[in-house]
Amino acid sequence: MTTIYFLVLLGFPCICAFSWHKPQSNMFSKVKCNQNHRLKQAKLDDESLILDDVRRSFLVMFTTTTCVSFGSLPAAVAAERAVGEAEKKCREQGNCLENFDIDGAVGWNWGGKDRCDATDPRCGPDGKMMEAPPLGAAVPRTVDKNGNDVAITHIIQLDFSLGKTEKGSMRIGLYGDSCPESVSQLIDFLEYGIITTSKLMLEDGFGVSASPVSFAIGGSLTTIYPQSRLEFGVLSQATSYAKGRGLNRIPKNFVPQPRPSGQKVDAISKEQTVRLHDVAGLLSIPKNGIGFGGTGLESDDEAFASAFEITAAGVPAMDRESRKVIGQVMDEESMAFLARLASLATKKGLKGILPGQNAGPPLVKTSITSVSTTVQT
């Protein structure tokens, strides 16, 4: 019989095993019932004594080990852990996971003296200070993938607030002549909202709570792929509905708008990308339009969480994802703010343990304060 005790000392698991063997006897078949009873009782008594000895030994060992562990810990080791040097060392050696150093494996610097202020424009996505705030890339040329001029039919302006005081804006032009159905759907999503159910469900007395899914009401910067691309959408229609109406809780009869279907989707899917995802500042949507981003396994409530994306660099992988470009950032100031957003620290979560999986929502509170659209004449 074996008893295993688990110790957790200073964050490191120790496993202590104690083994003993039951006394063996071949006399049970040769003695009477009363002898059997006496032998069994004696056996139990012996095992109880063994268990008592084991427990006493364990307590002595635990007390001694604990005192030695805490008493003999060098001060330099504690200081090294506090400033993140252990994480840096294991990253250099490439053995963070083997040493169970999760912070090092993830690449986080958040939590020690080497962590920079996430609201500082010079603070990079890895928690290290940069020499200067990120510079915006060049404004994209208004051309298609063949180098031909393309017309800007609408201008979108997204206004942001970062943290408590920082503000910024992005002006984005849309290629309405080149992909009219896709642009029309995006404008509906940004302002009025998309309705995919019966409009009767929006009226009082129908027995349900419902509303169009609108970026202007519940939209946010949902995911940052550091210095690569930004993802925008409505994370939860139910939450947006409640907040938009000042409710303390989501109505039990709330019904979200499902993904679009029918002729509208067919028309959007036939429109080709105007250009490749080869520079920063391009607005991209899924091939079948808004509502078809993400994995496709999201619930109706989260169907519009990945509505559109804006590149912060050339991302050829987006061409292989069957996405299409329908607009672009319009000026240097907007490109500079795009670079700022793309360099924000992110909430990685456990997925940050995997190499390259450093995307997540912004660590700094980032809000979209207003959305407006104007038609170019």
Side-chain angles (χ1 to χ4, degrees), residues 183-203:
V183 167
S184 174
Q185 185 196 42
L186 178 61
I187 292 174
D188 285 345
F189 176 67
L190 292 174
E191 292 190 339
Y192 321 112
I194 293 176
I195 302 172
T196 57
T197 58
S198 170
K199 292 184 179 180
L200 292 175
M201 296 181 65
L202 306 180
E203 299 178 2

Side-chain angles (χ1 to χ4, degrees), residues 92-295:
E92 293 173 352
Q93 297 177 350
N95 59 358
C96 293
L97 282 178
E98 291 85 345
N99 293 332
F100 296 99
D101 197 324
I102 303 302
D103 283 354
V106 172
W108 289 337
N109 281 327
W110 307 100
K113 293 182 180 179
D114 55 351
R115 169 193 178 275
C116 58
D117 181 358
T119 63
D120 191 324
R122 295 179 299 158
C123 187
D126 59 354
K128 297 180 180 179
M129 287 292 287
M130 300 180 288
E131 293 183 359
L135 298 175
V139 178
R141 298 171 56 206
T142 53
V143 296
D144 62 18
K145 57 186 175 183
N146 297 318
N148 301 318
D149 291 340
V150 59
I152 300 295
T153 59
H154 301 77
I155 296 290
I156 301 168
Q157 179 158 323
L158 304 178
D159 296 325
F160 297 80
S161 67
L162 303 181
K164 295 181 179 180
T165 59
E166 187 177 358
K167 299 182 184 301
S169 300
M170 275 198 292
R171 294 178 66 248
I172 303 166
L174 302 179
Y175 309 141
D177 290 343
S178 303
C179 41
E181 295 294 337
S182 299
V183 167
S184 174
Q185 185 196 42
L186 178 61
I187 292 174
D188 285 345
F189 176 67
L190 292 174
E191 292 190 339
Y192 321 112
I194 293 176
I195 302 172
T196 57
T197 58
S198 170
K199 292 184 179 180
L200 292 175
M201 296 181 65
L202 306 180
E203 299 178 2
D204 294 335
F206 195 76
V208 299
S209 298
S211 69
V213 52
S214 172
F215 188 78
I217 296 177
S220 64
L221 171 55
T222 57
T223 307
I224 297 174
Y225 298 83
Q227 299 171 338
S228 176
R229 52 177 157 169
L230 308 177
E231 184 177 83
F232 298 84
V234 176
L235 281 174
S236 167
Q237 296 182 55
T239 301
S240 297
Y241 179 90
K243 287 185 176 180
R245 287 160 176 76
L247 303 177
N248 293 327
R249 63 183 62 185
I250 299 168
K252 294 182 179 180
N253 63 346
F254 176 77
V255 178
Q257 302 293 330
R259 290 175 176 82
S261 61
Q263 295 181 351
K264 183 72 172 180
V265 173
D266 293 340
I268 292 173
S269 63
K270 291 177 182 178
E271 293 180 343
Q272 301 298 312
T273 184
V274 176
R275 59 192 300 173
L276 301 178
H277 298 80
D278 54 0
V279 295
L282 303 180
L283 187 147
S284 171
I285 65 170
K287 177 183 177 181
N288 293 329
I290 295 172
F292 291 91
T295 64

